[in-house]
Amino acid sequence: MTIRSVPTGALVKVDGDEIGYTPASVDFTYYGTREITLTKDGYETQTVMQKVKTPWYQTFPLDAVSDNLLPFEVTNRHEFTYQLQPKVVVPTEELLNRGNLLRSETQIGQ
């Protein structure tokens, strides 16, 4: 499984395990849903529950033939590309104004 990001260089975790920086590849044994997390300075952290579909030759009963009787190894590759969003930096003054507004709203409600 190969994971790419735009821009490249994001740290990739698959099911909580760091596998490297994009583009990053990892071998896998089981199909199903994998939790993929990408982090990069200046960008929002992105976590995706990515389905890795089972190919037709790995479904019952064909998997017995493809795993045991074929004279060659069948390799299944999956590639996923994710677009990272720039992190929005809120100015300190705006955060303070929001906090003061919330404080005054809660005091009025008492």
Side-chain angles (χ1 to χ4, degrees), residues 16-37:
D17 297 326
E18 289 185 11
I19 64 165
Y21 294 88
T22 57
S25 295
V26 65
D27 292 334
F28 66 95
T29 304
Y30 302 102
Y31 298 97
T33 303
R34 311 307 281 271
E35 181 182 67
I36 298 173
T37 303

Side-chain angles (χ1 to χ4, degrees), residues 42-104:
Y43 292 86
E44 298 288 336
T45 297
Q46 185 173 6
T47 301
V48 178
M49 298 304 289
Q50 180 66 58
K51 285 189 177 186
V52 181
K53 293 185 179 182
T54 305
W56 64 270
Y57 56 83
Q58 285 293 309
T59 57
F60 182 80
L62 298 175
D63 59 341
V65 174
S66 65
D67 288 344
N68 300 309
L69 301 177
L70 290 178
F72 53 89
E73 184 177 329
V74 178
T75 303
N76 186 17
R77 298 190 195 324
H78 291 272
E79 291 195 18
F80 304 105
T81 302
Y82 303 98
Q83 176 73 45
L84 299 177
Q85 300 300 316
K87 190 176 283 188
V88 177
V89 179
V90 179
T92 305
E93 187 66 30
E94 186 177 335
L95 286 175
L96 290 172
N97 289 340
R98 284 190 212 170
N100 289 330
L101 179 63
L102 287 171
R103 182 183 300 130
S104 64

